Amino acid sequence: MKRSTHLFKYKFSFRKLMVFGTCLMLLSACKKNELLNPDPTTLITDAAAFSTAPRIQNQVNGLYFTLKKGRFLGSWYTIASDIRAGDFVCTNLNAATGATTYQLLNQTTTNDVVQIWEFGFQAVNAANVFIDGMNSTGTAVVGADAGAAYIAEARLIRALAYYNLLQLYARPYLDGAGSKPGLPIRLEGNKQPGNYNLARSSVKETYAQILQDLDFAEANLPANYASAFLNTTRAHKNTAIALKTRVFLSMQDYAKVITEANKIVSAGAPFTAANGVKNALEADVKNVFTAPYTSNESIFSMPFTSNDAPGPALAGYYLPGTRDGGTISSNGAGEYSLNPNGILADPDWSETDARRSFVKIGPSTKKPWLFKFSQAAPYLDYAPVIRYAEVLLNLSEALTKSTSAVDSKAVALLNAVRNRSDKSKTYTVSNFGSAAELTNAIIKERQIEFLGEGIRNSDIMRLGLDIPAKPAHSVPAAAPSSPNYIFPISNDELILNKLMVNN
């Protein structure tokens, strides 16, 4: 794509998500008589967009669509986060399918850098436009309580978009206690071309805004919905709480991780949420990745159907083609196999572990492939955003680091996740000679449990670890001080926002 064309597309990305465009897209879900008898105009005005409860509800649905569409959550953001982190091997070094990100060679104009930034801020802007409309008109239509709940969903979506963008485009919080440049904090919707100049806030300030949004979300979201599908695919109170455990862990604020996690994790095993959605671990981890994908472990997931597919599908990149163990129906492209010398080779990952069933060796190439996601086209797998297993491990790590001791509950939480899939060994306090040893076991468990779910890169960064070398392609490790440890800011943003700097 020529620069001029791409810049035009980016410049008007905010306009694409203006109320008019959002409503036109979302009204496809309205009743048939509304489609057959629309308002006698060719454009839905701001007032009409928020004039009825059904139209407002359709816009809320559209916020979730924007979060997952194109190259953001449940799609390329997840893939890009994982392929840079050492557990995958690129099979063809094709720049069009992520090889530049894999090799840590991203520049300001690299497609991954430009597009993840663009789609992330489209999600932010969609939330902002919606919040503006609710404050102006919508809340008066649906009432104060419903209006606050809808705004809470938008603010959670905005927080999630900002959090994920921080993980790629900003230094981790531990680097200078959040003092390094973060993101431009945009809190007002853009519906037409205008002045985009806005300086970067610090990492600490960006996290503070994320937490303000999540606190508001927790206070105003419903405790649950009427179906398992909605409890998995729409934000509720436990969603906000779970995300806060992730955010505080990234900030190394372990006391607050514990405070938040204790709201939805019982004092003892079996660990469950007592309030709201009855979140708990599935008895079999494979159930989380099997239709209908709406287990109580799935706190928040991106749903897909044959008519609602992601941009790049996770399964399409991770599954092999038919020559190497894939099926005609799975439609895998075999872009990234698993690194046989990564976590797969760790002796602590038992061969009898149920999670090993997600790994299959190709009969032709003998490469290991990830089968956690089962079908690339049409893509029907839900992409997990946060699972209850993560909350348990977040709490386990926080307990360990807050006390600098081998905490018995931390061990029990680790065992809950590990023994669900691997009953060959149950840890006891005596297995760990120090808090550091227990922490290492927790981090390793995360690497196994969330393989292919886009979490490993964030763990590397928040812990200040090197991004591993990739010997298969002579890619050296990247230390936290290296420029390529994070993505540069998109060139499109640098052109349009004169106050933005790359540092």
Side-chain angles (χ1 to χ4, degrees), residues 300-321:
F300 187 41
S301 296
M302 298 286 97
F304 296 102
T305 68
S306 57
N307 296 319
D308 175 23
L314 305 184
Y317 279 72
Y318 298 148
L319 291 175

Side-chain angles (χ1 to χ4, degrees), residues 69-398:
K69 77 170 187 177
R71 302 177 78 85
F72 204 47
L73 291 197
S75 183
W76 191 248
Y77 174 90
T78 307
I79 296 166
S81 298
D82 264 334
I83 61 177
R84 71 194 308 264
D87 281 327
F88 289 86
V89 176
C90 187
T91 62
N92 54 23
L93 291 186
N94 183 349
T97 55
T100 307
T101 293
Y102 169 80
Q103 296 175 92
L104 308 179
L105 296 175
N106 287 311
Q107 303 297 317
T108 61
T109 55
T110 304
N111 277 343
D112 295 351
V113 171
V114 171
Q115 293 183 0
I116 291 174
W117 181 274
E118 177 180 338
F119 281 105
F121 272 101
Q122 283 188 24
V124 168
N125 192 61
N128 288 340
V129 168
F130 177 79
I131 292 168
D132 292 346
M134 290 300 295
N135 287 333
S136 174
T137 307
T139 296
V141 173
V142 298
D145 290 344
Y150 286 149
I151 291 172
E153 289 185 81
R155 291 187 66 169
L156 182 140
I157 286 168
R158 181 171 70 187
L160 186 57
Y162 266 121
Y163 174 83
N164 283 283
L165 289 168
L166 273 178
Q167 308 314 303
L168 289 179
Y169 295 92
R171 294 282 166 184
Y173 193 91
L174 65 83
D175 185 358
S179 62
K180 297 299 174 69
L183 300 172
I185 301 177
R186 300 187 183 275
L187 303 178
E188 295 181 358
N190 285 285
K191 296 183 286 185
Q192 58 188 0
N195 183 356
Y196 298 122
N197 291 337
L198 182 63
R200 299 175 74 171
S201 296
S202 69
V203 167
K204 184 176 183 178
E205 290 167 336
T206 311
Y207 271 113
Q209 180 59 50
I210 291 167
L211 289 167
Q212 285 180 32
D213 281 344
L214 292 177
D215 284 341
F216 182 91
E218 180 190 355
N220 292 281
L221 285 169
N224 52 45
Y225 296 99
S227 68
F229 171 76
L230 293 177
N231 286 335
T232 300
T233 60
R234 283 184 69 179
H236 46 79
K237 288 185 183 296
N238 287 6
T239 315
I241 294 166
L243 288 173
K244 282 197 283 183
T245 71
R246 178 187 285 180
V247 171
F248 282 125
L249 197 66
S250 295
M251 299 172 69
Q252 298 186 324
D253 192 336
Y254 303 119
K256 289 183 179 176
V257 175
I258 295 168
T259 297
E260 296 298 331
N262 282 342
K263 296 176 183 177
I264 57 174
V265 178
S266 56
F271 299 105
T272 59
N275 301 312
V277 178
K278 306 303 181 185
N279 295 122
L281 290 177
E282 275 290 292
D284 186 339
V285 68
K286 292 190 289 293
N287 292 343
V288 178
F289 302 95
T290 305
Y293 309 105
T294 55
S295 71
N296 282 338
E297 181 168 345
S298 302
I299 298 176
F300 187 41
S301 296
M302 298 286 97
F304 296 102
T305 68
S306 57
N307 296 319
D308 175 23
L314 305 184
Y317 279 72
Y318 298 148
L319 291 175
T322 55
R323 187 175 69 91
D324 213 31
T327 66
I328 294 175
S329 62
S330 68
N331 290 301
E335 300 284 355
Y336 290 90
S337 62
L338 287 166
N339 180 3
N341 300 311
I343 191 64
L344 280 184
D346 195 295
D348 286 334
W349 191 2
S350 168
E351 292 298 329
T352 60
D353 191 314
R355 293 167 295 192
R356 287 277 183 180
S357 67
F358 293 136
V359 180
K360 298 181 182 179
I361 305 300
S364 177
T365 65
K366 306 304 179 185
K367 293 177 179 178
W369 301 95
L370 182 65
F371 278 74
K372 182 176 278 187
F373 308 102
S374 61
Q375 185 167 307
Y379 186 64
L380 303 178
D381 299 83
Y382 285 19
V385 175
I386 189 162
R387 297 198 272 125
Y388 196 66
E390 182 185 344
V391 176
L392 299 187
L393 293 178
N394 290 350
L395 178 55
S396 180
E397 184 178 342

